[in-house]
Amino acid sequence: MCLTIPAKVLEVKDDKAVIDQGDTRKTISIKAIPDVKVGDWVLYMSDIAVQKVAKEDAKEILELLKHVIITNPDTLEPRFVEIIRNSKERQLQQEEIEYLLECKEREMQALFSEADMMRRANINDFFCIHGIIEFSNHCVNDCSYCGLRKENTAIKRYRMSIDEIVETVDEAVNGKGYKLIVLQSGDDPYYTKEKLVEMVKKIKEKSKVFIFMSIGQRDYETYKALREAGVNGVLFRFESSNPDLFKKLHKNGKDLNMRFEHLKFMKELKYFIASGSIIGIPGQTTADLAKDVITMRDNKFDMISMGPFVPCANTPFENEKPGEADMNLKMISILRLELKDTKIPVVTSLETLDPVEGRKNAIQAGANSLMFNLTPEKYAEHYEIYKRKEALNTRMWEKYGLYNTDESYKMLEDKLTID
Ligand code: SF4
């Protein structure tokens, strides 16, 4: 569930070890891994060593989590410095957010660094790792940007059976140690309320796991029944706070107000809510994005789910320019400054735009969680909202990031409790 920072062991005495934290040293308990020796590398949470980590993997993790040191603040634009100072004292105004979204080079790097410091101050170096299973690519809608739109006859459609879904979750949770799984599909009425409830109950019987649903605009009764069946959260983007842009994405009758009505009843049902916008929609302005930031902040979403627009073949937007990775990073940073300790995952669309550095850059700009795709291989290639390029290795993350313990489940439970 979490990946945390590694450290080298400098001294060992009884069940305690002194570790190297760069400028300082720290004493931690090694009760959980008593065979630790001087020179070993360990992953630790608070004051407890959790597991050993190979030296080369420790270096890779350290590189990934490295804090980017900013240059002398005296060399930064005074207006930039003033806005950053303001962000520590109050919520930012639209015009200030727009200024940050437009900053470049030195100021942009300084913005990332400020957000990284904010993440460290509020949530330390814990990176939650979640899994996503895309169980159906059928959809009754025709969103202009999405390869799953019903008018696209060029893709092969699939549906996973309930037993296949239960088994895939079982393998992820009881085999690999995932604690939170997102079950995602197009808007597919084949999975009726009853079928979805049955799916959730069967999963819960077999696996101790937090379930998030990403199944589109279903009615209140369906979401109510799913909540009662044990679903913890929903992933439901509002996509754009600008009604005209929203209309451009949904020519066939979806309505932005309806989107927010759904978010409202989801909150009333005490779902943990992941929501956000799409960055780089054709025609979107900086002012639109600043409004998206304010919308995410004012709705106090529990998790921010936003990502760049990536054009997909066989859609009305196939020849449009993709969103910019830097703009996505700036959005992450500003939301980290505004929302402090909220979860901000690195999304696949960002990694698709920048498969080499996307994940690392997003983490260093304030993101703090990852979503790995666990859809069985035979289906994954057909789930194309856009043409994906999966980034980097998941080996190191899965090896060290998924603690198969009750403590890690408990930590997540504390974070997902909605008052
Ligand atoms: S974005 Fe979602 S609702 Fe829209 S077409 Fe794609 S899968 Fe369907």
Side-chain angles (χ1 to χ4, degrees):
M1 190 253 329
C2 290
L3 180 72
T4 181
I5 205 155
K8 189 174 176 183
V9 174
L10 301 174
E11 290 171 37
V12 175
K13 193 158 184 231
D14 304 326
D15 59 1
K16 299 258 187 286
V18 176
I19 53 166
D20 182 7
Q21 287 191 307
D23 298 340
T24 54
R25 294 170 168 218
K26 178 178 178 137
T27 302
I28 59 172
S29 162
I30 51 169
K31 266 190 200 153
I33 39 173
D35 61 334
V36 165
K37 301 185 296 299
V38 171
D40 283 346
W41 286 78
V42 293
L43 290 171
Y44 68 99
M45 280 198 288
S46 308
D47 295 333
I48 301 167
V50 183
Q51 64 171 306
K52 285 208 256 185
V53 55
K55 185 176 168 188
E56 53 283 11
D57 289 331
K59 297 253 156 91
E60 195 179 331
I61 298 169
L62 282 174
E63 176 61 26
L64 199 64
L65 306 185
K66 192 167 71 181
H67 179 59
V68 185
I69 305 294
I70 58 166
T71 43
N72 180 352
D74 294 345
T75 63
L76 298 168
E77 288 289 332
R79 178 69 180 136
F80 174 85
V81 176
E82 187 192 350
I83 294 174
I84 294 296
R85 196 182 314 121
N86 292 343
S87 76
K88 292 176 183 159
E89 289 161 9
R90 59 163 169 78
Q91 292 187 332
L92 292 177
Q93 292 160 358
Q94 165 99 14
E95 165 273 318
E96 294 172 314
I97 297 170
E98 285 180 38
Y99 181 96
L100 293 180
L101 288 171
E102 277 169 5
C103 72
K104 297 205 166 41
E105 296 168 8
R106 197 182 286 266
E107 282 73 24
M108 183 172 79
Q109 294 308 328
L111 172 64
F112 298 160
S113 189
E114 282 292 334
D116 192 31
M117 281 194 279
M118 182 63 80
R119 174 182 62 73
R120 281 158 196 268
N122 286 279
I123 38 190
N124 302 320
D125 281 308
F126 295 139
F127 288 84
C128 299
I129 302 165
H130 310 313
I132 185 160
I133 297 167
E134 297 151 338
F135 62 92
S136 160
N137 69 352
H138 287 257
C139 188
V140 293
N141 294 318
D142 266 315
C143 305
S144 313
Y145 60 89
C146 177
L148 304 191
R149 63 202 309 272
K150 79 166 180 261
E151 280 184 9
N152 183 6
T153 50
I155 61 165
K156 191 173 162 210
R157 303 281 172 175
Y158 72 86
R159 286 190 177 108
M160 287 171 67
S161 70
I162 291 182
D163 285 349
E164 266 180 305
I165 299 166
V166 173
E167 234 172 76
T168 310
V169 176
D170 177 32
E171 197 183 310
V173 176
N174 302 316
K176 293 181 169 170
Y178 282 87
K179 301 282 184 287
L180 191 156
I181 298 287
V182 179
L183 297 173
Q184 180 164 279
S185 69
D187 202 333
D188 182 1
Y190 165 85
Y191 298 90
T192 56
K193 177 179 78 181
E194 290 71 25
K195 277 202 177 85
L196 290 167
V197 166
E198 181 193 343
M199 178 197 299
V200 170
K201 286 190 172 160
K202 284 190 167 166
I203 289 172
K204 292 263 172 176
E205 269 164 29
K206 241 180 159 176
S207 306
K208 191 175 177 188
V209 61
F210 295 97
I211 299 176
F212 277 41
M213 301 302 277
S214 172
I215 51 172
Q217 223 161 286
R218 298 301 190 90
D219 61 12
Y220 175 84
E221 290 306 324
T222 302
Y223 277 107
K224 184 167 180 281
L226 285 169
R227 185 74 186 105
E228 284 163 6
V231 173
N232 308 86
V234 284
L235 204 154
F236 190 79
R237 284 183 177 171
F238 63 88
E239 299 181 339
S240 173
S241 54
N242 176 338
D244 294 332
L245 276 185
F246 187 86
K247 248 188 221 146
K248 208 168 156 181
L249 300 179
H250 304 286
K251 292 256 158 69
N252 298 345
K254 273 198 198 169
D255 163 307
L256 186 56
N257 289 330
M258 183 97 81
R259 213 90 190 144
F260 281 101
E261 272 166 31
H262 269 66
L263 285 163
K264 190 165 167 246
F265 75 60
M266 286 163 174
K267 198 163 201 151
E268 283 164 12
L269 289 169
K270 295 195 181 297
Y271 275 111
F272 188 96
I273 295 176
S275 186
S277 60
I278 303 176
I279 301 159
I281 301 167
Q284 193 177 43
T285 62
T286 309
D288 291 327
L289 286 170
K291 282 206 187 92
D292 290 349
V293 169
I294 292 170
T295 303
M296 288 182 256
R297 178 190 73 199
D298 292 354
N299 277 280
K300 296 195 182 71
F301 295 132
D302 307 292
M303 187 191 293
I304 298 302
S305 170
M306 59 181 178
F309 159 70
V310 182
C312 178
N314 306 305
T315 67
F317 284 1
E318 68 180 329
N319 297 317
E320 299 288 352
K321 256 184 34 207
E324 289 169 20
D326 278 351
M327 186 55 92
N328 203 99
L329 298 178
K330 285 187 266 187
M331 291 284 283
I332 291 175
S333 290
I334 298 168
L335 279 154
R336 174 59 66 215
L337 295 182
E338 292 284 80
L339 288 172
K340 320 282 189 257
D341 61 355
T342 200
K343 266 177 191 280
I344 307 182
V346 186
V347 296
T348 346
S349 49
L350 178 59
E351 298 196 44
T352 295
L353 279 190
D354 183 356
V356 181
E357 297 283 320
R359 184 178 298 171
K360 179 176 156 192
N361 288 345
I363 288 171
Q364 292 180 352
N368 73 318
S369 67
L370 291 167
M371 198 79 84
F372 288 165
N373 196 333
L374 306 175
T375 310
E377 229 167 90
K378 65 178 169 179
Y379 300 124
E381 62 176 306
H382 304 300
Y383 201 94
E384 277 202 348
I385 291 177
Y386 50 84
K387 187 89 197 155
R388 278 193 292 227
K389 283 189 210 138
E390 292 294 346
L392 307 173
N393 71 75
T394 55
R395 177 202 65 84
M396 187 264 290
W397 292 88
E398 285 192 343
K399 186 170 169 196
Y400 298 113
L402 303 165
Y403 303 147
N404 223 341
T405 63
D406 267 359
E407 288 84 68
S408 84
Y409 186 90
K410 179 79 183 69
M411 268 173 65
L412 196 54
E413 192 172 38
D414 291 345
K415 285 190 180 138
L416 297 184
T417 301
I418 309 283
D419 300 324

